[in-house]
Amino acid sequence: MRAEPVAQRGDVRDGLLLRDGQGGPGVAGEQRSSAALAADQPQIVIVANRGPRDFVWEHSAWVARPASGGLVSMLAPLARQPGVVWFCCVSEPPDALHAQQGLFTTAADQMDDQLHVRPIPLPAEIYHAYYGQISNEVLWMLQHRVIGSNGFELLDEQRHRAWTDGYLETNRRVAAAIQRSCASVRAFLVQDYHLYPLPSLLRAAFPETPILHFTHIPFPDTSVLKLLPSGWREEILKGLLGADVVGLQTVSDVQAFLGSCAEFMNADIDAERSAVRADDGRSVAVRVYPASVDPHELEGTMQSAPVAVARGRLAPQTGELRIIRVDRLDPSKNQRNGFLAFGRLLEMRPDLRPHARFFAYLIPSRTDLNIYRAYRDTLYETIAEINARYSADCGGPPITVFYQNDSEQALAAMESCDVILVNSLHDGMNLVAKEWALLSRRPGVLVASETTGVASEASGSALLVSPLDVEGTAHAMAQAIDMPDAERIARLDRFRERVLHWTAQDWLSTQLRDLGVTSARGGSDR
Ligand code: G6P
């Protein structure tokens, strides 16, 4: 099976896209030739639920921020190039209350000359069913294995309606909006679990255009996918098989996808070439493209004024041992077990009480959903208990939470921490671990759960734990704190090398090469 990243480092060094003539025929190129394009037509179309900007309500006004998350950071450089457009979904119009509680955007807010954004407005009710009730409360929870009362629990009549009238309907509307505004397109890059049915809808409308779908979160194996009704999972797989290339984060995700196609679609699998035969006879390539970070952009950010201010504000006190975590507040991130492990560390190591501090940089996420609000309440209770128990011995509360989306502050914290904890239940990649690898100066130690996407790249560097093993995580934290400097440096260097070997630029240019696209505008593809 061919499930490793397709390009090696060095394929693309002097531009985001391969220059004309440099790329091979590409996976899609093996099957079809591209159509001639009108000059005013977009060449590359990105389709994602989320647009490149968030609008947050601050001091009685909307403030525009680059949206957080790997998807936006990895695609924005492409989106700034001429000939690239980005279709995204927006809830329109948001009602006043929701607009302030959640991070709703409006179609007008998403307009941006530089980013070539084309928002697709959806009635708030349809958007909520598609994004909140299905994408977040079912697919996100299922794919991160948050199954049960604090996650994906059951599918009632309302949820079935949300699937049909929200999720499938939105995918149909997105396909129709693209079809209305684009006569011909050179390649589609479709993003994530919100848009599984879209590739096959686009295939029907643009039979000759190469399509790649990339899923940023883990792909469930067959036993987990069986928790969805058979009709739903068939829609998901049929939709994805409309693409020429199905892109996933890890080798296990590829195996899970191939296994699902064999078991649920009765499809022919070419394990050697890591490909699936679709109903219409096309061969669909299934590839690993691990998400990564952009070292140059990160370097620039670290020299910015906001990071300098945060650095000054967060400077560790003498003798302090700093454990941090940086992630969205989400049950899949498993923050509670992380805090419980820290509490256990303080219990078993009284000598650490005056020094060890846990700083949690938690990014507010999907605050309009009950699951998220309930998880936040549980977390805060756990933190309050641990702080109450150890405040006296520690000389103050040992856990501090920063509940805000302040990426500069989080990056400054990564630079100077002794330990960083990334203990998701199950996760796509966890780019925060890769950011930390490039930034750590102290040097720090990464404690990661084996179920994170980054675990295989971090093996031999990180201390790996089970996400449910609170006791084991406490011991790993202790081991990290006690680790001699020479070992810390060796572990960090190893991981840093790997991260530099496969960056966000590789992630993107390899996908484009596999689609047979060698430049964003003009030039011959193959
Ligand atoms: C994953 C991806 C992100 C993506 C997100 C959707 O975490 O890695 O990059 O944006 O899912 O999250 P959202 O906040 O848009 O619901």
Side-chain angles (χ1 to χ4, degrees), residues 49-50 68-72 131 136 140 144 192-194 216-217 249 328 333 365-366 427:
N49 169 62
R50 188 178 268 278
S68 56
L71 184 156
V72 169
Y131 177 65
N136 291 336
W140 174 275
H144 289 93
D192 241 347
Y193 53 102
H194 317 86
H216 293 253
I217 63 175
Q249 294 272 24
R328 56 168 93 205
K333 303 295 180 188
S365 182
R366 303 171 189 161
D427 223 332

Side-chain angles (χ1 to χ4, degrees), residues 393-444:
D393 284 357
C394 291
I399 302 176
T400 305
V401 172
F402 299 83
Y403 182 54
Q404 60 198 146
N405 188 2
D406 183 341
S407 56
E408 284 91 0
Q409 171 172 265
L411 293 172
M414 285 181 212
E415 237 179 13
S416 61
C417 68
D418 297 280
V419 180
I420 183 164
L421 177 65
V422 182
N423 66 326
S424 308
L425 284 179
H426 202 52
D427 223 332
M429 181 48 63
N430 303 97
L431 287 179
V432 68
K434 294 191 176 185
E435 287 172 338
W436 165 84
L438 299 186
L439 298 179
S440 175
R441 298 279 170 269
R442 194 107 147 144

Side-chain angles (χ1 to χ4, degrees), residues 93-105:
D95 67 65
L97 188 65
H98 260 139
Q100 291 183 29
Q101 281 176 348
L103 299 181
F104 277 81
T105 59

Side-chain angles (χ1 to χ4, degrees), residues 88-142:
C88 62
C89 301
V90 290
S91 176
E92 181 74 24
D95 67 65
L97 188 65
H98 260 139
Q100 291 183 29
Q101 281 176 348
L103 299 181
F104 277 81
T105 59
T106 69
D109 288 332
Q110 282 289 353
M111 301 309 277
D112 180 317
D113 282 350
Q114 278 215 319
L115 281 162
H116 321 295
V117 178
R118 297 210 189 155
I120 303 169
L122 297 160
E125 212 174 288
I126 292 184
Y127 186 84
H128 176 65
Y130 140 80
Y131 177 65
Q133 295 186 298
I134 299 296
S135 301
N136 291 336
E137 290 183 336
V138 176
L139 297 177
W140 174 275
M141 295 299 160
L142 177 90

